[in-house]
Amino acid sequence: MKKALIVIFIVILVLAVAGLLVHQYFAGQTTDGPVMEDPAAPMLELLSARWTSEDGLWEAQIEGYTLELRHRQEPVYSGSFTFDFHGDDINARTELVCEDGRASGTPENLWVENGRLYLDITETNGGEDSVRQQVVLKRAEPGEQEPEEIREVSEMAELVEFTWDQNAMSYDACFQFWIKTTQKDLSDPRLYCRYTNPETYERVEIGDDDPVGFQGFGLGGARLAENETWLPVSPERWAELADFLRRAELSAYQAPPPGLLDATSSIIAVTWRENGEKFTNRYGGGTSARDLLKLLQDIAGEAAGG
């Protein structure tokens, strides 16, 4: 009887040891073997960043599956989103679906394609008619320069100088407007400009960026006399420009990413004087400045008598 009990005990012990060894073997295989990767990881890595529109008015901050969307620094959507990522091509169109969050607008379609974030959104403004638009945002790389600070301009501030320089891959898209006053007389602004006439596609140049002793040409091709290359801008148009700049919702200047050779560089610099102090605000000349460009071309045409 004792021998039988001993045999049974030994069998149970052997089976327990064998079971333990088998468990350790398979556990080791699971731990040491290949780890399953999240197939959406490449897309999450692309998405997790700050995204901005070219004009700087729109901004999205994505971290994991959460999205913060702002327009002119005002919240538009804050919440979570999901997406289905098939394959390994992060350049293919991938739909993002907003799930749960607070929204002042309605993000109807949201997707990423070829390194750009696209948004179709309907906005409502204080009970007025809704506006549907598409927004395109680019990914801000780490270390990319933040937008500059803009100082508030009061009604008492006097406009001293205005410049707008734009360089682009297309020659017709390159232009410069420069209107400045003297230290003693802010009521006698003078204009230099070069741009492509949007109607005739002719190149217009008034004055020279070195205002001393240059013989320039007006809109009609007539040679301007010595020391008259910078044409006067009427006080009414100067006041109109100042009023426009006070009320325009231009975005703060943000330098394009370094190394991006085909990027358009567009910088608006506006210098004001208030209570004896001069200060300069710098803006980006994106799509939000189209009305300003039309105004400047109109002022240039009037100054040249065209």
Side-chain angles (χ1 to χ4, degrees):
M1 183 66 179
K2 291 182 179 180
K3 290 182 179 180
L5 292 175
I6 293 173
V7 171
I8 293 173
F9 176 77
I10 293 174
V11 170
I12 294 174
L13 182 60
V14 170
L15 291 175
V17 173
L20 180 61
L21 292 174
V22 170
H23 171 75
Q24 290 180 341
Y25 172 79
F26 284 106
Q29 289 287 83
T30 304
T31 303
D32 300 333
V35 179
M36 294 295 291
E37 296 184 356
D38 182 0
M43 183 58 68
L44 278 176
E45 183 178 356
L46 172 68
L47 290 172
S48 296
R50 185 173 64 90
W51 298 77
T52 59
S53 60
E54 183 180 354
D55 56 16
L57 299 181
W58 289 85
E59 178 178 341
Q61 182 70 45
I62 298 179
E63 295 182 7
Y65 289 96
T66 61
L67 166 66
E68 296 281 345
L69 180 65
R70 294 177 176 272
H71 180 229
R72 301 185 188 276
Q73 299 302 315
E74 294 296 326
V76 175
Y77 175 83
S78 176
S80 61
F81 69 94
T82 60
F83 62 88
D84 292 326
F85 182 64
H86 303 288
D88 56 0
D89 185 5
I90 61 174
N91 292 315
R93 175 166 172 155
T94 300
E95 304 283 346
L96 311 181
V97 181
C98 294
E99 285 195 322
D100 183 26
R102 305 180 306 277
S104 62
T106 306
E108 298 175 356
N109 297 301
L110 182 65
W111 73 93
V112 61
E113 183 177 14
N114 293 323
R116 292 290 186 268
L117 187 65
Y118 295 85
L119 169 68
D120 290 335
I121 187 168
T122 299
E123 285 192 291
T124 55
N125 299 315
E128 299 179 2
D129 294 338
S130 60
V131 177
R132 189 176 188 276
Q133 61 177 312
Q134 182 179 92
V135 183
V136 183
L137 303 99
K138 66 178 182 65
R139 192 177 191 271
E141 298 299 331
E144 186 172 322
Q145 182 177 343
E146 295 289 334
E148 297 183 2
E149 293 293 330
I150 295 298
R151 179 168 167 175
E152 184 177 356
V153 180
S154 74
E155 294 291 337
M156 301 301 295
E158 298 176 289
L159 183 58
V160 175
E161 185 173 351
F162 172 91
T163 65
W164 186 357
D165 293 277
Q166 177 163 300
N167 295 306
M169 294 292 290
S170 170
Y171 179 70
D172 287 340
C174 298
F175 58 78
Q176 182 180 21
F177 289 89
W178 188 356
I179 310 176
K180 68 175 185 177
T181 60
T182 64
Q183 293 288 343
K184 296 182 179 180
D185 189 0
L186 298 185
S187 64
D188 185 28
R190 298 279 170 158
L191 165 72
Y192 160 80
C193 66
R194 54 181 177 85
Y195 65 95
T196 299
N197 188 307
E199 297 180 356
T200 64
Y201 300 101
E202 295 178 347
R203 195 67 177 172
V204 175
E205 183 165 3
I206 297 175
D208 180 61
D209 52 8
D210 180 4
V212 179
F214 179 84
Q215 302 239 334
F217 295 88
L219 289 176
R223 181 177 292 274
L224 300 173
E226 186 86 9
N227 299 324
E228 293 183 359
T229 60
W230 286 52
L231 295 184
V233 174
S234 69
E236 294 77 16
R237 300 313 299 268
W238 186 236
E240 180 183 358
L241 177 61
D243 187 62
F244 182 97
L245 293 169
R246 287 191 187 94
R247 289 163 173 73
E249 295 182 337
L250 302 175
S251 57
Y253 174 71
Q254 184 176 11
L260 191 58
L261 299 179
D262 61 347
T264 296
S265 175
S266 191
I267 307 175
I268 300 170
V270 186
T271 300
W272 303 87
R273 187 173 72 183
E274 185 172 10
N275 298 324
E277 178 191 3
K278 291 188 359 179
F279 64 92
T280 300
N281 287 335
R282 298 210 308 167
Y283 307 93
T287 55
S288 62
R290 283 179 295 190
D291 290 341
L292 174 59
L293 180 58
K294 293 178 181 178
L295 174 61
L296 291 169
Q297 292 169 346
D298 187 47
I299 291 175
E302 181 180 299

